[in-house]
Amino acid sequence: MYDLVIRRARLVDDQLVDIAVQDGKIAEVGQLTDDVCAHRQLDLAGNCLLSAGWIDSHVHCYPSSPIYHDEPDLVGTACGVTTVIDAGSTGTDDVEAFYALTRNAKTNVFAFLNISRIGLLRQNELADLADIDKQKVSQAIGKHPGFIIGIKARMSSSVVGQNGTRPLVLAKEIQQENNQLPLMVHIGNNPPDLDEIADLLTRGDIITHCYNGKPNRILTPAGTLRESIQRALKRGVLLDVGHGTASFSFEVARQAIALGILPHTISSDIYCRNRMTGPVHSLATVMSKFFSVGLSLPQVIACVTENAASALRLNNKGRLAPGYDADFTLFELHQGPQVFADSEGQSVAGQQLLVPLAAVVAGEILLTDEGKAAHVFNL
């Protein structure tokens, strides 16, 4: 007797499968016989798509943050997202408070710890190097190894002030002293120059805001890929979208993807303002924009499932296979005219929109507003 059986789920390759869940884990994937029993059964009859649970690698969901704040479940399960990673909203001063409130969330919540003790208390959190306390960072990581999964350094002029790349050098030292945890690096306006930043990065480091339209972007004025980024990618540095309010350009994304420079992960950089008034709205909306710049449905889904899980070292997530966490996203792909906006004030016409209907977290089914209205589920 399983806890949950989902029958006739349609995958992105159009295959229909059954999935059995026991104790929050996937027990079986394939074609289950009719006599398989469960405490709860959900027959999708091929009427909606299912993937491993969507992972948003870059959000801001610490409600007490004075600059970028939101609620974990509003950017998570309410949007069909099963796992979110808060990207540096908190430092060592307030990570304990953030950890405590996430224990009550339905969404799986993890954190990139800001290397500044103050987190995003103000915009220039790395302007004073005295706020980077390596010992306290290591202590926080040691106390919450299942929650703090990486560190974050925002490397743009408004953040670092006169410190150049020195905060990034310190971030790399912190990383080396803490089992080479993933390091996410925000890029924006210079100084420091992107070439200086990229040359400090090593395998597994994540450049977020990779398709921003600012002068300090990954493309040269001629539209070719910067040599420093070419070298970084060859070393195994990863590209993350991190759309946000000011960090995604359709034109840069289109040019880069045409050159074969695809994102490893698609993330939203969502918080309350850009969720409610745009241009982000949700991870699903950000994912949908990539159909207009050359990615297929399987490529888009991989960026928020297996690719994200690999980059973040979430070894039990991101795949539909026995033994993995029973986290799923159920969704539809609506066909019809759409208009999408980037962070530069540019709009692009599209024909496809991802609409999440439910998030399943450890086997618990959580319908989105669209899922409740669709009447697809007989629950």
Side-chain angles (χ1 to χ4, degrees), residues 33 74 166 194:
T33 59
L74 291 180
R166 182 59 184 161
L194 179 55

Side-chain angles (χ1 to χ4, degrees), residues 216-297:
N216 203 32
R217 58 179 179 246
I218 66 171
L219 300 180
T220 68
T224 59
L225 188 67
R226 285 184 185 232
E227 291 184 3
S228 64
I229 299 298
Q230 294 180 40
R231 293 192 298 269
L233 295 179
K234 287 179 181 178
R235 292 195 301 275
V237 173
L238 307 175
L239 298 181
D240 173 64
V241 170
H243 187 302
T245 302
S247 299
F248 177 73
S249 162
F250 274 123
E251 187 57 30
V252 172
R254 185 182 297 108
Q255 290 182 50
I257 288 169
L259 294 172
I261 310 305
L262 277 59
H264 189 76
T265 50
I266 295 174
S267 67
S268 66
D269 188 17
I270 197 170
Y271 68 103
C272 63
R273 189 177 71 188
N274 66 29
R275 172 172 59 83
M276 294 187 288
T277 63
V280 173
H281 297 298
S282 68
L283 179 61
T285 302
V286 174
M287 292 161 65
S288 300
K289 295 179 185 185
F290 280 83
F291 299 134
S292 299
V293 291
L295 296 194
S296 67
L297 177 62

